[in-house]
């Protein structure tokens, strides 16, 4: 599935990134991502994930590839959910720098929204990131309201 340019811009912005995986026993696991981006001209979405905080997420993706990511603008609650199969790979230096820039930008946004930085510092990090690369096969609008759950074309 090719990601539309406006959705690609949204994904690359300072948005909260929630990840969902499952283990071999179908036990769900949620985590936070540290920035996302769409690989140009593709249906691949790449998300930085801290192995320090979310080792089970990385293990689950390596085990079965099932992956869901939800991007939410904390100021407006505009949200999109993407599903598909994923692989894990090491980041390059540019991707690590991009993850740290995402952390700084998102910290500023959350602070401006009145969220104390101490509440975000634990889960908003780019320490020891890996890149989860998702081949998107389904995408949904999840903004609260009448379009929540509507599949994107």
């Amino acid at each position: 599935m090719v990601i539309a340019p406006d959705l690609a811009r949204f994904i690359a912005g300072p948005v909260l990134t929630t990840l969902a995986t499952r283990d071999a026993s179908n036990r769900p696991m949620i985590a936070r991502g540290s920035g996302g981006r769409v690989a140009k001209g593709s249906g691949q979405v790449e998300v930085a994930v801290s192995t320090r905080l979310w080792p089970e997420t990385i293990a689950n993706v390596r085990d079965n590839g099932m992956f869901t990511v939800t991007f939410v603008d904390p100021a407006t609650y505009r949200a999109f959910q993407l599903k598909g199969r994923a692989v894990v790979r090491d980041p390059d230096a540019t991707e690590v720098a991009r993850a740290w820039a995402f952390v700084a930008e998102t910290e500023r946004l959350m602070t401006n929204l009145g969220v104390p930085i101490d509440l975000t510092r634990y889960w908003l990090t780019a320490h020891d990131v890996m890149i989860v690369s998702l081949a998107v096969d389904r995408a949904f609008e999840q903004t609260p309201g009448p379009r929540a759950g509507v599949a994107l074309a």
Side-chain angles (χ1 to χ4, degrees):
M1 166 177 207
V2 176
I3 306 298
D6 60 329
L7 180 55
R9 283 188 297 277
F10 181 84
I11 288 169
V15 292
L16 300 182
T17 308
T18 304
L19 317 173
T21 62
R22 64 168 176 82
D23 67 13
S25 299
N26 285 329
R27 187 184 64 170
M29 173 69 193
I30 62 167
R32 293 277 188 188
S34 298
R37 77 178 192 100
V38 175
K40 274 196 171 173
S42 77
Q44 294 287 127
V45 173
E46 299 173 335
V47 180
V49 181
S50 171
T51 60
R52 182 182 294 184
L53 292 181
W54 316 113
E56 298 92 348
T57 295
I58 298 299
N60 290 345
V61 172
R62 285 184 170 142
D63 180 57
N64 61 50
M66 303 303 294
F67 190 74
T68 299
V69 58
T70 304
F71 299 97
V72 180
D73 179 337
T76 66
Y77 294 104
R78 184 175 181 218
F80 298 92
Q81 183 181 66
L82 311 175
K83 297 181 177 192
R85 299 199 55 81
V87 295
V88 176
R89 64 174 177 75
D90 291 324
D92 63 26
T94 301
E95 290 167 322
V96 172
R98 185 181 303 119
W100 280 114
F102 168 86
V103 167
E105 187 178 10
T106 304
E107 280 181 346
R108 280 190 299 277
L109 172 64
M110 297 301 286
T111 300
N112 289 340
L113 291 172
V115 178
I117 200 158
D118 291 343
L119 294 180
T120 60
R121 280 261 160 97
Y122 173 75
W123 54 264
L124 189 56
T125 183
H127 286 290
D128 304 322
V129 293
M130 295 294 284
I131 301 298
V132 175
S133 184
L134 172 67
V136 178
D137 62 21
R138 292 169 288 158
F140 304 89
E141 182 165 341
Q142 293 296 6
T143 305
R147 292 193 42 82
V150 171
L152 302 179

